[in-house]
Amino acid sequence: MLATFLTAMALQAIEPAPSALSGAWIVDLSAEPGTPYTQPMNLTLAPDGTVTGDFYHSEIGAGRWKAQNGRLCVSFRTTDGVGPYHTSACMVGERVEGQTWAEQRNFVFIWNAVNGMRKLQDVLESDYGLDLTGWTLSSATGISDEG
């Protein structure tokens, strides 16, 4: 009983913040190794559990997110104008791994994504919780190997 309680407490303590998944991502949808085919994914995770944004230039609909058991995941629908695409994805380390079911095309594909280019000020505010109100970041003189 105590072990179960301690495990639950440890998992709660390491739940990833929604800000870790919010933002711009570059999704690799390539079917051929060594031949990149990338598309943008922009996610906004709201405190009420909803997800908005776009994926592959299509607006996200019915988006939801949840953090549980140390995992942060999203699910949503998009469309290509012909039919729906159902997507689910989770943070895995510093990247996102997902799968999309193209109902009308009768296939499922898996993919991964990395953060695209982001403004340093946005990263410091969303990922590190810094309040940079009134600051203007105009240059960086170096980044250590520790980030």
Side-chain angles (χ1 to χ4, degrees), residues 42-76:
N42 298 290
L43 302 175
T44 301
L45 281 63
D48 67 357
T50 59
V51 176
T52 57
D54 60 87
F55 178 36
Y56 206 130
H57 308 290
S58 177
E59 184 178 352
I60 288 174
R64 302 292 301 167
W65 70 268
K66 186 170 187 175
Q68 185 174 356
N69 298 330
R71 292 176 51 115
L72 176 60
C73 300
V74 296
S75 63
F76 54 83

Side-chain angles (χ1 to χ4, degrees), residues 87-100:
T87 298
S88 62
C90 296
M91 289 291 302
V92 178
E94 296 293 317
R95 68 184 200 161
V96 178
E97 293 183 357
Q99 56 275 329
T100 300

Side-chain angles (χ1 to χ4, degrees), residues 24-136:
W25 295 89
I26 303 297
V27 180
D28 184 358
L29 299 170
S30 61
E32 300 292 327
T35 307
Y37 177 65
T38 61
Q39 291 294 321
M41 178 173 68
N42 298 290
L43 302 175
T44 301
L45 281 63
D48 67 357
T50 59
V51 176
T52 57
D54 60 87
F55 178 36
Y56 206 130
H57 308 290
S58 177
E59 184 178 352
I60 288 174
R64 302 292 301 167
W65 70 268
K66 186 170 187 175
Q68 185 174 356
N69 298 330
R71 292 176 51 115
L72 176 60
C73 300
V74 296
S75 63
F76 54 83
R77 284 193 311 261
T78 56
T79 182
D80 63 359
V82 176
Y85 286 76
H86 307 275
T87 298
S88 62
C90 296
M91 289 291 302
V92 178
E94 296 293 317
R95 68 184 200 161
V96 178
E97 293 183 357
Q99 56 275 329
T100 300
W101 172 40
E103 185 174 344
Q104 74 286 0
R105 299 183 191 274
N106 199 29
F107 70 83
V108 176
F109 57 94
I110 60 171
W111 49 263
N112 62 69
V114 295
N115 276 125
M117 184 171 61
R118 300 164 67 193
K119 292 181 181 177
L120 176 59
Q121 186 159 346
D122 293 344
V123 171
L124 294 173
E125 290 176 334
S126 67
D127 295 6
Y128 295 95
L130 299 177
D131 180 6
L132 299 177
T133 304
W135 285 66
T136 301

Side-chain angles (χ1 to χ4, degrees), residues 5-23:
F5 174 75
L6 292 175
T7 300
M9 293 302 292
L11 287 174
Q12 280 184 335
I14 60 169
E15 293 294 345
S19 62
L21 194 47
S22 286

